[in-house]
Structures are given as C-alpha cells and as structure tokens.
Amino acid sequence: MHHLLIVDDHPLYRLALRQTLAAGLAGARIDEAGDLASAQAALAEAPDTDLVLLDLQLPGTHGLLALGELRAAHPGVAVAILSGQDDPATVRRALAMGACGYLTKHAGTEELHAGVRALLAGETWMPSALRELLARTPRDAASESLAARLATLSPQQLKVLQRVAEGRLNKQIADELGIQERTVKAHLTVVFEKLGVRNRTQAGVLLSGLAGE
C-alpha cells in the first residue's frame, strides 16, 4: 500500500487533491499537512512515507528552503513539487535541490495520476509540455549551482538560514531553535562558506532569487 503526504496550506485544495489521488490509487494512505512543521512531524511519525507532494508557497518558508529542509531531514523520502509556478528556472532549482519531480496545480486528473504513479515507481517525472519548455530554455548555471549548494546543508543549518532570510538576529534564532548563540554563529560560518558569501546580507541577496519570493 502506497503512503503519500500532501503539504499545502489551503485545506480545500488538499481535500480536492486527496480525493483525486485516492480515486486513482486504490488502497493508498494519503495524509495532509498545512505547513512545514506539520510535514516534519508527519514524516517523523511515518518515515516509510513513499512520496511527499510539496507546495512551494508555504507560509513561513523562504522559497525552496522548505524542500531543502525536508530532503535533509528525511533523505529516504521522495519529495516532488506540486506548484502553481511552472517557469523553467524554478523547476531546475527544485530538481537541483533534490526534488524527484514537478507537478503543476493546473494539471488534469489523468496527467496527475500518471505523474504520481511514475514518481511512486521511482521515476523523475514532469509534464511533457514542461519538459519541452525546459529543453527550449537556456540554463541559469549560477541559480542551479546555488540550489545544489543549499542541498548540502544540514537540517539545522537550513533552519538557521531560513530565519536569517526572515531578518532574525542570532539571539532570536538561538531562542527559537533552543540552542546557544555561539552554535548559531558556528552554523552560519559553515553556511556562508558553502554558499560562498561573507555575511548574512550577501546570503539574503542570493536567496532573493529563489522561488517563492
């Protein structure tokens, strides 16, 4: 029996998607989460989840960092993007950060079922029209490189970076994460080195180009 997790902040959309998927996946268990924290909790309780369908526009997250956090914390779980955005740059960043596929919210029922079945079979999948669009669009090597570097960060480093992107100070981050301020500074040292920046301002400039801004 397949086990899926839908992560989207709109309850009505989650319900509609759940019903649509259930009609094409007999016997599948389909859970829901409305934000990143709920998704992390759901995966902690069910680490054998086969596939996560993740919306890019979750509240309280910065672009693709939510994808990075899920992939870093649960590397054995496949995560595909399900988004209203289908521009090639966003798709390529998502794949560079470890997404196993890319579904669009305007997909029809048949396309959605075909995509999810392919993802559950271990394939990397996206709609044929989107694949053709990517083939016609020049790559942005710098953007994809940034996404790949973000994918090397640990879950805790990504949590710290997420809060830096939101403008929080080191002390605030330490209080929120329940760690010491010197630990925050140590994480940032590693993060800045991996991203090739010197300070939080430069890191913010880099992150501003990610999806969800």
Side-chain angles (χ1 to χ4, degrees):
M1 181 180 73
H2 293 301
H3 185 184
L4 291 79
L5 175 64
I6 299 169
V7 186
D8 191 286
D9 64 311
H10 294 94
L12 291 179
Y13 179 76
R14 292 199 309 268
L15 175 61
L17 179 58
R18 183 175 186 172
Q19 293 174 339
T20 300
L21 292 177
L25 296 170
R29 172 182 168 183
I30 305 174
D31 293 330
E32 302 176 22
D35 54 33
L36 181 59
S38 299
Q40 294 280 27
L43 291 175
E45 290 184 7
D48 60 341
T49 299
D50 297 300
L51 177 65
V52 175
L53 298 177
L54 175 68
D55 178 34
L56 282 181
Q57 299 285 353
L58 289 178
T61 63
H62 189 282
L64 289 166
L65 292 186
L67 169 62
E69 284 195 45
L70 286 180
R71 292 290 300 126
H74 308 279
V77 178
V79 181
I81 300 301
L82 180 61
S83 176
Q85 301 181 52
D86 58 1
D87 62 285
T90 299
V91 176
R92 285 176 173 145
R93 291 183 195 121
L95 296 177
M97 287 193 69
C100 64
Y102 204 100
L103 299 162
T104 59
K105 288 190 173 182
H106 51 260
T109 299
E110 290 186 8
E111 182 177 81
L112 183 62
H113 285 169
V116 170
R117 290 194 190 101
L119 293 167
L120 289 170
E123 300 177 26
T124 299
W125 192 91
M126 68 182 70
S128 57
L130 185 55
R131 194 180 297 276
E132 292 169 4
L133 178 60
L134 259 66
R136 300 194 304 268
T137 306
R139 306 183 76 98
D140 183 343
S143 177
E144 291 179 52
S145 174
L146 169 60
R149 281 177 279 153
L150 287 170
T152 68
L153 300 179
S154 72
Q156 194 77 332
Q157 289 164 358
L158 284 163
K159 289 177 183 177
V160 170
L161 182 58
Q162 180 86 254
R163 285 156 178 81
V164 166
E166 293 166 359
R168 288 174 174 77
L169 301 176
N170 288 354
K171 187 178 186 308
Q172 294 173 307
I173 296 172
D175 291 342
E176 287 187 20
L177 297 181
I179 58 180
Q180 296 186 355
E181 191 171 350
R182 67 171 179 268
T183 304
V184 174
K185 293 178 180 178
H187 282 314
L188 286 177
T189 297
V190 176
V191 169
F192 293 161
E193 181 179 352
K194 287 187 175 182
L195 297 186
V197 298
R198 295 181 180 179
N199 53 49
R200 61 177 60 218
T201 300
Q202 291 181 346
V205 171
L206 277 183
L207 292 175
S208 66
L210 287 178
E213 289 303 287

